[in-house]
Amino acid sequence: MTRSARIIAGIVAVVLIAAVAAAFAIVWRPAFATIDPPAPQTFDAALVKKGRDLAAIGNCNDCHTVRGGRNFAGGLPVPTPFGTIFSSNITPEPETGIGRWSEAAFQRAMRSGVNREGQHLYPTFPYDHFTNVSDEDDRALYAFLMTRQPVRAPARENQLSFPFNQRFAIAGWKLLFLRHDTHQPDPKQSAEWNRGAYLVEGLAHCGACHTPRNALGAERNSAQFAGGDVDNWHAYALNDQSHSPVPWTADALFAYLRDGFHPDHGTARGPMAEVVSNLSSVPSSDVRAIAVYMAGVSGTPAADRKGQGEMALAQGKTAAQANAAGASIYAAACASCHESGRPLPYGGINLGRSTAISSPDPRNLANIVLSGVRAVEGERSPIMPGFAVSMNDEQATALLNYLRARFSNQPAWTGVDKTVQDARRAQTVFLQTSPGPRNAPADPMQRDKP
């Protein structure tokens, strides 16, 4: 080998070694030592109570509890464009849960998405938002979870194709998209607004559902709160692109988040129903703070949006007359409630104010028509029967098209027949894979009871 060849070979070797070392530094994380599971009574009761409220704000139980299963024991399938990921067991069970995790290991998982063993966690666990959670709040969450009832529930194997089934690839994703800057209060805003910003951008992780994602599954920061997709539902835009016929106000948001219903905006359904179920148990000051912040995000509505629902009612009657089939189905199945003027729970909302009907995506309306709205036990909440059995796909499609034409001033949807088929298929899969209703008592402290 000539001298120049040896020099080139040496340079290549150095570059390769440096690349391997850099890749190792990016991917490798040390394991934390195991601990003996701490006794529940060693945690301060006030800290546990604070952690209970924070866990409810973070909606932890709904992602980490499979329907019909034990609370926080994991196993819930989370569909993604790359395959299915199953949530983990976060009860203090020592072998299959987090019972042997130290507080430092828990905080690293929250901040960096790395488990106790040093493995990178998939970002379906929204640690890209949890980087904004304070040390004090992480400590309270840890205290709450470590005082839950231990449940032995081994992790289910994720169903991901190569290379997404290789956890080292997540390190590259983090390098591109994970930011460790914690939330900083805005001195120009009120304490209430800042509290809401801290919760929304952090533990509540609202943008995880309400922000569209790029091809690699990261939130598109340039389109924050512009609407997203989750569990065959469309999470509506919460910014100035909202299609709500009646603009949101802080008071309307507070009522909706607290009670799951507002007469100008309808009923929380799908994943949002789980969110408001949890928020119903937390301090009202936190819910109000979230509402105040999100009202600021949505901004001042354009003048032409005010009263849009009433305009749609007047303009849509003529446009809907061409759909005789949809009109007859509406008259038989819907009008008696939605045009009765009766109060809850037997009167339906003014459909001219329905975001589901004015939205550019008909999925939510298809889900509601097929599944209905179940009553909330102990509350004077809206109810609506589901029509999955009594309506075939053709009838449901005709009804959706009629509702769009009659109660909105938006252009007709396309592909509604396929949307109905997909909604029915998703409902069937959900029922087949769900052995029973998910436990959801009002007090999250009781969520770990059989």
Side-chain angles (χ1 to χ4, degrees), residues 188-277:
K188 297 179 181 178
Q189 300 289 347
S190 67
E192 186 176 49
W193 186 98
N194 276 298
R195 174 64 175 171
Y198 168 75
L199 293 174
V200 168
E201 305 293 350
L203 197 59
H205 61 283
C206 304
C209 289
H210 289 277
T211 298
R213 296 179 179 269
N214 62 23
L216 293 177
E219 292 177 32
R220 291 167 47 198
N221 292 331
S222 61
Q224 188 180 32
F225 299 120
D229 301 309
V230 56
D231 294 346
N232 202 50
W233 290 80
H234 178 67
Y236 297 128
L238 301 178
N239 56 15
D240 57 5
Q241 298 179 39
S242 170
H243 287 84
S244 173
V246 179
W248 285 96
T249 65
D251 288 342
L253 279 164
F254 173 75
Y256 183 85
L257 293 173
R258 192 69 174 170
D259 303 324
F261 173 78
H262 189 276
D264 286 343
H265 299 281
T267 305
R269 294 291 297 131
M272 194 64 204
E274 300 167 351
V275 172
V276 298
S277 174

Side-chain angles (χ1 to χ4, degrees), residues 117-197:
E117 292 83 3
Q119 296 176 319
H120 291 278
L121 299 172
Y122 287 98
T124 46
F125 176 59
Y127 47 81
D128 52 339
H129 286 270
F130 296 163
T131 58
N132 291 315
V133 179
S134 68
D135 291 348
E136 181 183 358
D137 284 353
D138 276 340
R139 184 170 299 113
L141 281 167
Y142 178 76
F144 172 70
L145 292 174
M146 295 300 275
T147 54
R148 300 307 90 207
Q149 183 175 341
V151 179
R152 181 170 180 79
R156 297 180 63 180
E157 186 175 352
N158 296 323
Q159 299 169 358
L160 298 168
S161 58
F162 183 85
F164 307 110
N165 59 351
Q166 303 299 310
R167 288 185 181 267
F168 68 80
I170 308 172
W173 186 93
K174 292 178 179 178
L175 196 63
L176 292 172
F177 303 114
L178 183 60
R179 300 292 176 263
H180 290 281
D181 299 332
T182 55
H183 172 75
Q184 298 297 324
D186 184 345
K188 297 179 181 178
Q189 300 289 347
S190 67
E192 186 176 49
W193 186 98
N194 276 298
R195 174 64 175 171

Side-chain angles (χ1 to χ4, degrees), residues 19 31 72 87 116 149-150 171 180 209 270 304 332 335 363 386 423 446:
F72 300 110
S87 64
R116 188 197 64 77
Q149 183 175 341
H180 290 281
C209 289
D304 61 357
R363 274 180 297 170
Q446 303 301 315

Side-chain angles (χ1 to χ4, degrees), residues 52-53 55-56 72 144 148 278 281 441-448:
R52 174 197 68 183
D53 293 337
F72 300 110
F144 172 70
R148 300 307 90 207
N278 277 314
S281 67
D443 183 358
M445 285 290 285
Q446 303 301 315
R447 295 181 190 279
D448 58 354

